[in-house]
Every structure is written in structure tokens, then in C-alpha cells.
Amino acid sequence: MDFGLTDEQRSIVEVTRAFVERELYPHEEEVERTGVVRPELVAQIRAKAIAAGLYAANMPEEVGGAGLDTVTWVLYEKELGKASYALHYTGVARPSNILLAGTEAQKERYLLPCVRGERVDCLAMTEPEAGSDMRGMRCRATRDGEGWRINGTKHFISHADEADFVILVAVTGTDDRGRHEMSTFLVDLDTPGVAVHDGYRNVSHRGYHNSILDFDGAWVPANALLGEEGKGFELAGTWLGSTRLQVAAACLGRAERALELSTAHAASRHQFGQPIGRFQGVGFKLADMATELRAAEQLTLFTAWKYDQGTATDADIAMAKLKATEMLQMVADEAIQIHGGMGLMDELPLERIWRDARIERIWDGTSEIQRHIISRSMLRPLGA
């Protein structure tokens, strides 16, 4: 393995980094203060991202995306991850890869407009009684004539307030072991019987809202089924794998930004007649932060490389997410300690990075779930 960047990768990193610094950083304070990304700002960022070739970059070339390999995509996500999550996810959208499983007609109606920036998707799996335990879902779709009737509630649904349709995972039957079978549906949010409600106020990722979705007898036609009936769990797993790598990459970017600020501060801030970085109490923190960041970066890139080779396992991806998210928490905390009181002030992005870091160990699979996946992969071959 050679993780030296190719000319193309270096160009993508440089273009993405310049875009983030020029188009996203200037709006971070506004989003933190108001908790909203103004629609006109979303449109402005979206148009510039499309012009720069950065929009829907996770999609293959045949549907209009950039066709990036996974290593390059991780590098791209790392740069985007340095900015406010609300700004880069709403303005530089990456449609859910689950949409690639659609029929040609479904791709024409849902996927391609998302790639072009004309429509926005959201994905609904989590429920009040079904978080880590996806098999505990209660939202159900039952056959009704030439379609399906949907009833139930989903919550923590990211940016559903801005979406045009939802990729919905719902129970559609029971297998021979008595476990719920799930299927995936494409549901327009203006469908009668579908209601989008404001979600919960979140300490992390201000401006990136979560919503509650209620389905009260909502009817969808048979062609709303995405993929095979009863295979929704497996389809959701493909999304979780790439999303966990995306989380890991974003954490790398945020940690790198925090470390750069901390290093500059330690070199320029003088106390007792010398830069504070010369004191071991600060210098050793920088060393530990840099080492942990490098370890998480190498693990994430290695996992991305294995993903491209078709050899990445669930445990590989779980390790990358676990390491990167827990590394970010440590780096963000130490960055604030190095800056002292100023680290907690709004004038610096560190208090935001610190707050935002907390959710990364929870969503897209908690750290405990990642450890479960890893330990299970170790014990099962031994019959335990």
C-alpha cells in the first residue's frame, strides 16, 4: 500500500480545501448564532459546489457523480469535515448510496435529480424504541391493493425538514425465526398521511436539524419499494458502511483543524518568558494529539483502501469509526485546554468542534456497537 497522494488526489484535496475556506468558513458564525442555514445561502453554496465539481461527489460517473475511489472520497470528506456540518452537508450534498439500488425509473425520479441538486433525500431508520436495535422497529408497511399502507413514527431524521422525499425502512413481515423482516421504500414527503415535525434541539451540529416523521395510513404504490422485499436490513447495511467511513473522515478533518490552531497558539502564546509549547505540559499534549490523529488517519485510509479492494469487513469499518470519533473527542478537549479560557469562547471554532465531537460517538452506530461488531468478529471464528 502506498498512501502517497496522486496528482489527481492532491488536486481534489486542494480544490476542496480552498472551497471550504472560501465558501463555508465565512458563514460558520452566522449558523452557530442563528441555528439555521438560510435557504438562499444553501442555494448559493450548492450552485458553487456544482460549478466546482464537488456536488454529489460520492456518486459514480455513470449517474453524474465524480466517480471517486474510496480513498480519494475519504480525503475529500476529510476536507469538508473541517467546516460546520450544517454548511457542508446541506450545501454540498452527497445523496444516499442506497438510491443506487433503484430501478431505472426510480433513478430517474429520485437519484438523478439529487445528483443535479434539484431534489434532496433523507433516510429514516431510527425510531423511539429502535436505535441500535434495528430489528426492534415498529413502523410497518402492509400490502394494500396495488401498493403499501404505512403506519408508524421515525425520529432523529437528519434534515428531513429540507428534504423532498424519504428513504424509509419499515417492517413488512416476519422470518422463520420470528424476527422482523424489513423493506425499503421511496416516499415523497408530500404524500397524504406523511407529516414532518420539528425534532429535538441538539447541542451538536447547530443548523443541521433532526425531525420526527409520522406515517398515518400513508399509501404508496408498489413501485415505491426500493430493492427486494424483506431485504431492507441488508440494504441499510450498505449505507451504514459508507456513512461510518464518512463520519471517520469528517472527524479527521475537524481534529486536524483543532491541532493546527493549537500548534499555532502554543508557538505564539508566551507565558513566563517563553512560548507555552516549550512547556512539557503543553508540548506533550501536542505530541499525543498528533500521534492519535496520525493513527486514526492511517486506519481510516487503510480501511478505505480495503473497501476499494472489496475486502473491508464490518469490523474494519467499525474500527475506523471507533478510533476516529474517540480520537476527535480527545483532540478537541486538549485543544481547549491548551487555549485556556479562550478555547471556550465563540471567537474560536474550538468550542463548536468540542460540542460537535460528542455526537460522533453516538450516531451511525454508537462506540459500544462498534466494539460489539469488532469483538464479535474476533470471537465467532472460535465458536464463542
Side-chain angles (χ1 to χ4, degrees), residues 174-194:
T174 306
D175 65 17
D176 53 10
R177 298 169 60 184
R179 301 181 305 173
H180 283 160
E181 289 183 331
M182 291 168 284
S183 301
T184 306
F185 299 88
L186 297 169
V187 183
D188 293 311
L189 289 176
D190 60 0
T191 300
V194 179

Side-chain angles (χ1 to χ4, degrees), residues 133-137 140 171-182 230-231 233-234 376 380:
D133 179 17
M134 284 181 58
R135 296 281 187 184
M137 284 184 186
R140 182 174 291 272
V171 177
T172 52
T174 306
D175 65 17
D176 53 10
R177 298 169 60 184
R179 301 181 305 173
H180 283 160
E181 289 183 331
M182 291 168 284
K231 298 297 184 181
F233 188 84
E234 292 78 5
R376 184 181 59 187
R380 274 188 173 175

Side-chain angles (χ1 to χ4, degrees), residues 211-249:
S211 299
I212 299 169
L213 301 186
D214 279 328
F215 299 86
D216 184 10
W219 187 87
V220 296
N223 61 11
L225 180 68
L226 178 64
E228 297 181 48
E229 181 181 343
K231 298 297 184 181
F233 188 84
E234 292 78 5
L235 197 55
T238 65
W239 175 81
L240 280 170
S242 62
T243 302
R244 286 169 178 167
L245 274 179
Q246 183 182 41
V247 169

Side-chain angles (χ1 to χ4, degrees), residues 16 67 98 148 182 200 223 290 302 327 334 336:
T16 309
I98 289 180
W148 299 82
M182 291 168 284
Y200 315 98
N223 61 11
F302 176 55
M327 174 277 299
E334 294 287 45
I336 286 177

Side-chain angles (χ1 to χ4, degrees), residues 3-313:
F3 290 144
L5 300 190
T6 65
D7 289 342
E8 180 183 9
Q9 288 173 329
R10 191 174 295 108
S11 175
I12 289 170
V13 168
E14 290 173 356
V15 168
T16 309
R17 180 178 298 161
F19 182 89
V20 167
E21 293 176 353
R22 183 180 63 251
E23 306 296 343
L24 303 187
Y25 281 0
H27 304 291
E28 289 182 324
E29 188 277 332
E30 175 192 338
V31 173
E32 288 299 301
R33 176 171 44 81
T34 64
V36 173
V37 184
R38 293 177 285 109
E40 57 270 28
L41 179 56
V42 173
Q44 172 187 312
I45 294 172
R46 182 175 295 163
K48 292 181 177 180
I50 291 172
L54 298 176
Y55 199 85
N58 63 315
M59 288 287 122
E61 289 182 307
E62 55 264 29
V63 298
L68 303 181
D69 61 86
T70 310
V71 171
T72 308
W73 172 69
V74 162
L75 295 168
Y76 155 87
E77 290 289 348
K78 175 187 170 187
E79 295 304 319
L80 286 178
K82 293 178 180 179
S84 160
Y85 197 86
L87 284 168
H88 79 72
Y89 204 85
T90 55
V92 195
R94 282 82 82 200
S96 172
N97 62 348
I98 289 180
L99 293 171
L100 292 169
T103 63
E104 290 307 310
Q106 288 173 332
K107 290 177 182 177
E108 286 289 336
R109 181 172 178 179
Y110 294 102
L111 173 60
L112 298 184
C114 286
V115 173
R116 294 192 295 262
E118 299 164 359
R119 302 192 80 186
V120 175
D121 65 303
C122 66
L123 192 142
M125 288 192 291
T126 306
E127 300 179 9
E129 301 300 326
S132 297
D133 179 17
M134 284 181 58
R135 296 281 187 184
M137 284 184 186
R138 297 180 182 178
C139 184
R140 182 174 291 272
T142 55
R143 290 189 178 276
D144 184 357
E146 296 298 314
W148 299 82
R149 187 74 61 179
I150 305 171
N151 288 281
T153 298
K154 299 287 184 178
H155 77 163
F156 294 153
I157 309 308
S158 297
H159 66 92
D161 57 330
E162 301 170 0
D164 299 290
F165 66 94
V166 58
I167 304 165
L168 173 72
V169 182
V171 177
T172 52
T174 306
D175 65 17
D176 53 10
R177 298 169 60 184
R179 301 181 305 173
H180 283 160
E181 289 183 331
M182 291 168 284
S183 301
T184 306
F185 299 88
L186 297 169
V187 183
D188 293 311
L189 289 176
D190 60 0
T191 300
V194 179
V196 181
H197 305 291
D198 290 341
Y200 315 98
R201 296 181 64 183
N202 188 0
V203 70
S204 301
H205 299 321
R206 289 176 182 166
Y208 183 78
H209 303 146
N210 68 85
S211 299
I212 299 169
L213 301 186
D214 279 328
F215 299 86
D216 184 10
W219 187 87
V220 296
N223 61 11
L225 180 68
L226 178 64
E228 297 181 48
E229 181 181 343
K231 298 297 184 181
F233 188 84
E234 292 78 5
L235 197 55
T238 65
W239 175 81
L240 280 170
S242 62
T243 302
R244 286 169 178 167
L245 274 179
Q246 183 182 41
V247 169
C251 288
L252 297 178
R254 229 169 292 149
E256 188 172 282
R257 187 177 180 187
L259 180 58
E260 288 174 355
L261 287 168
S262 300
T263 305
H265 181 74
S268 61
R269 170 73 166 166
H270 285 70
Q271 291 288 281
F272 306 103
Q274 61 181 330
I276 62 172
R278 289 186 181 176
F279 295 104
Q280 289 185 353
V282 174
F284 284 11
K285 288 183 189 299
L286 293 174
D288 287 343
M289 293 159 71
T291 300
E292 289 300 309
L293 173 55
R294 177 69 60 84
E297 182 177 44
Q298 293 300 305
L299 178 58
T300 302
L301 288 173
F302 176 55
T303 304
W305 178 82
K306 291 188 70 176
Y307 201 93
D308 283 331
Q309 310 307 309
T311 60
T313 65

